[in-house]
Amino acid sequence: MKKALRKIGLLGVAGLLVSIAPPVQAAPITATYSNIAETATLDPAIAFSSDGFVFVRNVYEGLVEYKPGTMTLQGVLAKSWKASADGLSFTFNLRSGVKFHDGSPLNADGVVMALKRIQAVNQGPATMMTNVSDIVATSPSRVKITVKTKDFTFLGKLPKLPIVSAAAIEKHKTADDPWASTWFATNEAGSGPYILDNWQRNQAITLAKNPTYWRTFGAKTPTKVVLRVDPDITTAMQLLSSGQVDFMGAVGPDDSAAAAKNKNLQVLISPSYYIQFMPMNVTKGPLKDVRVRKAISLAFDYKGMIDFYKGYAEAASGPLPNAFSPTLAKSPKMAQNIAEAKKLLADAGYKKGFTMTYLGLKGLSYEEFAGTLLQSNLKQIGIKLKQTLVPWPQMAEAYKNQDTAYDISFLNMSAFTNDAGNFLGQSYSSAASGNNGGYNWSFYEDPAVDKKIAGLSQIKNDAKRMKATLDVNKLIKDKYLAIYVAEPQLAQPVRKGWTGFYDSLDANYTVRFFYTSKKS
């Protein structure tokens, strides 16, 4: 009898062992993203371009974010919020249970420190906080932000303000580096879905799944992300076709057209508030004269540029992308007029023409094509254009100063927020001048225009604000500060089997991989 009981007991233990065996783990999913350039820093208080965003947006989070593919806000680190009726203060209730990658918990004091760090570092993201006067913790889980002047568009800026771990700031700061900038340049302490695994400079940044993330990963969501660097797009496209790459950064329309015909690839169309333009340095020589700038704008072959995009672009109407308003979508588009251009040059005293310089980004076919097209167009009105193509770091360096900047350059500009006025400010306000590290690469400064742009956010009614925005848009357009080249679709080649979107609110080429999935 005892032997029989012993056998039963052993069987029971065996059954128990079988019942608690760990489930079969799903195979890891890797998403590999290729871009022509790599971020110079991992610091979310500094990184403010497409190569930086693709790292920051996957590792860090803000109080709120834009819902995937929309201009609608949703809570992230803040579970709810309330704006005062006068547009002067905003109160945020923080989400409970959130931990940063260093294990420290999210709390109001930490959020205050993280936001004040952005202000103190005073780089790109800080441009979203110029109106902020005070940030305080009103309870352990509540933060109140007060602005200097009423701002009914302020909430839309918050997705651009990544929150870092206050514990990491305290741990890595020094007397000479009170905000731990040296440490954050090569390390991270975010709360996002991915953590930094390793960084092989000029090769790849590898991200791993955050094991303590407050949201649940989908069964097909990537658990590993590789952000690799491939300076040559032709090579990158070959890697995409062969399956070594899944997502691409900046590409030309030829690449999108070719991908549409490739059985291994697909073209992912994402919502776009995006314009390409050639800023003219208005501080130099003939370009100081608006008649000369208008002549150059009229000389450009807009139809030729649209044809280059093989169906993936439409003509622009001016500084603001057409998608911001039905009025813009119906307004006259930019068009070539050589006869009028010649007349304007003659009126300005440049009948015999002159020589100018163009700086474009090496490796992007559309920037080289645009420069070559402009070169040919300007020749028709007696202007000689010298074209130079360089990597992005050299281009950005040249435009840190109006004296080292070229006469004409090229920028891709997408909306950073749901505020059209903010879009205009990125390229035309004095505060955004290249001299200040911004993207006003025409170096145009006018206090009257600054005031009009700044005043847009103080208009509470959405319809009235848009009408005033369109008036400012026309004012800037009539100064001919840039050639409004085209409005390309955000049409990106990706491997078949992937779903997701490219974020036009983060310089077009950012992918938030938590919102992607691999179907097969």
Side-chain angles (χ1 to χ4, degrees), residues 297-472:
S297 295
L298 289 172
F300 189 68
D301 182 3
Y302 299 94
K303 184 180 182 303
M305 194 73 205
I306 297 301
D307 290 344
F308 172 80
Y309 280 98
K310 302 181 183 300
Y312 291 112
E314 65 178 9
S317 61
L320 273 177
N322 295 319
F324 265 113
S325 166
T327 301
L328 289 173
K330 297 174 184 177
S331 62
K333 303 303 183 284
M334 307 304 296
Q336 186 183 48
N337 189 329
I338 294 294
E340 179 65 14
K342 288 181 177 179
K343 183 180 182 301
L344 283 165
L345 272 189
D347 290 346
Y350 294 102
K351 188 174 182 178
K352 294 184 179 180
F354 50 88
T355 298
M356 293 197 308
T357 56
Y358 168 80
L359 185 66
L361 185 58
K362 187 176 182 180
L364 290 183
S365 59
Y366 56 81
E367 294 205 17
E368 182 175 1
F369 179 82
T372 302
L373 182 62
L374 180 62
Q375 192 176 51
S376 173
N377 299 153
L378 293 184
K379 188 177 181 180
Q380 297 178 63
I381 62 173
I383 297 176
K384 182 178 180 181
L385 186 70
K386 295 181 179 179
Q387 180 176 198
T388 302
L389 301 172
V390 297
W392 171 250
Q394 289 178 238
M395 195 170 176
E397 184 66 28
Y399 273 80
K400 286 183 178 179
N401 187 296
Q402 65 189 47
D403 297 325
T404 59
Y406 285 53
D407 293 314
I408 301 178
S409 189
F410 194 106
L411 281 173
N412 295 301
M413 188 61 70
S414 64
F416 275 10
T417 77
N418 53 8
D419 175 19
N422 179 263
F423 185 96
L424 292 175
Q426 292 176 55
S427 299
Y428 304 104
S429 71
S430 300
S433 169
N435 294 322
N436 300 326
Y439 291 102
N440 174 354
W441 281 12
S442 63
F443 299 94
Y444 174 76
E445 297 188 18
D446 184 337
V449 172
D450 291 344
K451 185 176 181 180
K452 287 180 180 293
I453 292 174
L456 295 173
S457 63
Q458 298 180 29
I459 303 173
K460 188 172 185 177
N461 180 275
D462 290 343
K464 290 181 179 179
R465 187 188 317 119
M466 179 52 70
K467 182 182 183 304
T469 301
L470 294 177
D471 290 342
V472 178

Side-chain angles (χ1 to χ4, degrees), residues 25 36 42 106 115 133 147 194 211 219 274 350 395 404 409 440:
Q25 296 293 316
I36 62 172
L42 304 185
L106 173 73
L115 291 174
S133 62
V147 293
Y194 298 97
Y274 170 34
Y350 294 102
M395 195 170 176
T404 59
S409 189
N440 174 354

Side-chain angles (χ1 to χ4, degrees), residues 55-206:
F55 172 81
V56 171
R57 297 295 182 252
N58 286 291
V59 172
Y60 291 94
E61 295 173 309
L63 291 170
V64 300
E65 69 177 6
Y66 287 104
K67 289 182 180 180
T70 76
M71 283 192 161
T72 303
L73 294 170
Q74 65 181 12
V76 189
L77 297 183
K79 64 180 180 181
S80 63
W81 60 87
K82 184 177 181 180
S84 64
D86 60 8
L88 288 171
S89 65
F90 306 83
T91 303
F92 302 88
N93 298 307
L94 301 183
R95 193 175 300 280
S96 61
V98 176
K99 288 187 177 181
F100 289 94
H101 301 162
D102 60 5
S104 62
L106 173 73
N107 58 52
D109 287 335
V111 170
V112 172
M113 181 181 286
L115 291 174
K116 288 187 173 180
R117 179 179 188 272
I118 293 174
Q119 286 181 310
V121 172
N122 198 28
Q123 296 293 312
T127 60
M128 299 290 166
M129 302 182 71
T130 54
N131 192 32
V132 173
S133 62
D134 195 24
I135 312 167
V136 296
T138 58
S139 81
S141 61
R142 186 173 296 158
V143 174
K144 182 178 180 181
I145 300 176
T146 305
V147 293
K148 303 169 191 173
T149 57
K150 58 185 178 181
D151 183 355
F152 296 102
T153 66
F154 179 72
L155 287 170
K157 298 178 176 68
L158 290 170
K160 311 307 173 182
L161 303 177
I163 304 301
V164 306
S165 161
I169 298 173
E170 292 289 354
K171 181 177 180 180
H172 300 288
K173 70 180 183 180
T174 66
D176 296 329
D177 185 11
W179 295 105
S181 295
T182 300
W183 187 84
F184 276 103
T186 55
N187 297 277
E188 62 90 1
S191 62
Y194 298 97
I195 61 176
L196 176 64
D197 184 16
N198 65 77
W199 183 10
Q200 294 177 292
R201 291 274 191 167
N202 300 313
Q203 294 183 50
I205 297 172
T206 302

Side-chain angles (χ1 to χ4, degrees), residues 193-194 208-211 213 215-223 513-514:
Y194 298 97
K209 175 184 176 181
N210 175 6
Y213 192 44
R215 287 190 278 194
T216 302
F217 272 68
K220 301 297 184 181
T221 303
T223 53
F513 288 96
F514 185 74

Side-chain angles (χ1 to χ4, degrees), residues 479-494:
K479 293 183 182 296
Y480 293 92
L481 304 175
I483 304 167
Y484 302 105
V485 172
E487 294 189 20
Q489 280 187 317
L490 197 46
Q492 293 294 113
V494 303

